[in-house]
Amino acid sequence: DVKVTQSSRYLVKRTGEKVFLECVQDMDHENMFWYRQDPGLGLRLIYFSYDVKMKEKGDIPEGYSVSREKKERFSLILESASTNQTSMYLCASSLFTLRYNEQFFGPGTRLTVL
Amino acid sequence: QKEVEQDPGPLSVPEGAIVSLNCTYSNSAFQYFMWYRQYSRKGPELLMYTYSSGNKEDGRFTAQVDKSSKYISLFIRDSQPSDSATYLCAMTWVGAAGNKLTFGGGTRVLVKP
């Protein structure tokens, strides 16, 4: 059974703090993704990675950075948290193929920035 | 304009009714079309996917793709209260970097007993 775990279910931080969100997958997937989910806006891709130390910007990378030092782990970093980064953050992973393959999601981290 | 449009709902139906969900898209490069289901406080899970145009059936679920109209649908027959969730459509194409998906905004469905 594919498992994607995220370090926290709920997180409360203050404006200006540096925030780390961690994601770990146990199925040797090449691709990993970070999304944020907001009411009415759906899932928006922040960053993704298709290999260790490789990263690509998604649709809304501003204010975020990522790190992938090991294949199974993908971290999202908010350098200086702001209130407009209050959201649900979802991590996902998938195998690399030349056709469609399923993305497996973690349970999400609900981040509140005060 | 968003690449993938989806009515946010909520869509409320009585148990046993047919639920009809749809998405429209603008990018003609999309080739794979998916429906994900997301229960409250959980991550999305894949429900069905189709390649190119046509229909696909899986139990009570039917997915339809009309590439000429850039329109996809999901039908749920004999709906159950356990079908209450948010349904997200998603799309991609062969060779998309990282096999990344483009999601619709999701439709919240409530099936009342």
Side-chain angles (χ1 to χ4, degrees):
Chain A
D1 217 18
V2 176
K3 196 150 187 188
V4 179
T5 56
Q6 295 183 227
S7 49
S8 307
R9 291 302 303 271
Y10 300 94
L11 210 51
V12 179
K13 295 291 180 182
R14 298 215 171 269
T15 302
E17 278 193 79
K18 191 168 187 175
V19 181
F20 292 88
L21 301 181
E22 285 223 312
C23 175
V24 178
Q25 50 93 5
D26 65 358
M27 283 303 291
D28 204 35
H29 285 171
E30 290 83 7
N31 300 323
M32 295 190 75
F33 308 84
W34 274 107
Y35 296 90
R36 63 177 282 176
Q37 186 173 31
D38 301 286
L41 297 176
L43 280 166
R44 293 182 292 168
L45 182 63
I46 304 171
Y47 267 96
F48 67 98
S49 168
Y50 51 86
D51 202 352
V52 176
K53 296 192 187 294
M54 304 301 291
K55 60 186 179 186
E56 292 278 346
K57 292 180 181 178
D59 301 316
I60 51 163
E62 297 79 18
Y64 303 94
S65 62
V66 290
S67 172
R68 192 165 180 203
E69 296 296 318
K70 293 185 177 181
K71 191 175 185 179
E72 68 271 17
R73 193 178 296 268
F74 192 34
S75 300
L76 179 70
I77 303 151
L78 287 66
E79 295 290 342
S80 178
S82 63
T83 54
N84 63 12
Q85 292 179 310
T86 291
S87 186
M88 171 69 86
Y89 290 87
L90 287 158
C91 175
S93 72
S94 70
L95 278 171
F96 170 75
T97 67
L98 292 178
R99 59 178 187 86
Y100 165 71
N101 60 84
E102 180 179 356
Q103 283 191 15
F104 295 87
F105 285 84
T109 295
R110 183 162 294 282
L111 173 68
T112 301
V113 182
L114 301 174
Chain B
Q1 187 187 359
K2 293 180 188 175
E3 246 183 322
V4 180
E5 298 275 3
Q6 186 175 5
D7 189 323
L11 185 61
S12 183
V13 300
E15 183 176 354
I18 294 175
V19 176
S20 174
L21 304 167
N22 56 74
C23 289
T24 58
Y25 63 95
S26 56
N27 188 346
S28 57
F30 288 134
Q31 296 170 294
Y32 289 94
F33 304 90
M34 289 128 266
W35 288 94
Y36 279 77
R37 178 174 61 194
Q38 185 177 21
Y39 290 115
S40 182
R41 291 185 290 277
K42 299 271 179 112
E45 293 178 309
L46 180 67
L47 196 55
M48 294 183 72
Y49 85 93
T50 53
Y51 173 67
S52 195
S53 285
N55 290 6
K56 186 173 183 179
E57 197 170 308
D58 184 1
R60 297 184 295 112
F61 299 89
T62 299
Q64 289 184 349
V65 175
D66 182 349
K67 287 193 74 180
S68 61
S69 302
K70 296 191 180 72
Y71 186 91
I72 70 169
S73 302
L74 178 71
F75 300 97
I76 308 173
R77 290 182 300 280
D78 187 25
S79 58
Q80 304 295 309
S82 58
D83 294 325
S84 297
T86 296
Y87 291 81
L88 300 129
C89 62
M91 312 177 184
T92 190
W93 65 91
V94 174
N99 304 124
K100 64 177 184 172
L101 302 177
T102 302
F103 282 88
T107 300
R108 192 166 146 241
V109 172
L110 180 61
V111 181
K112 295 185 175 178

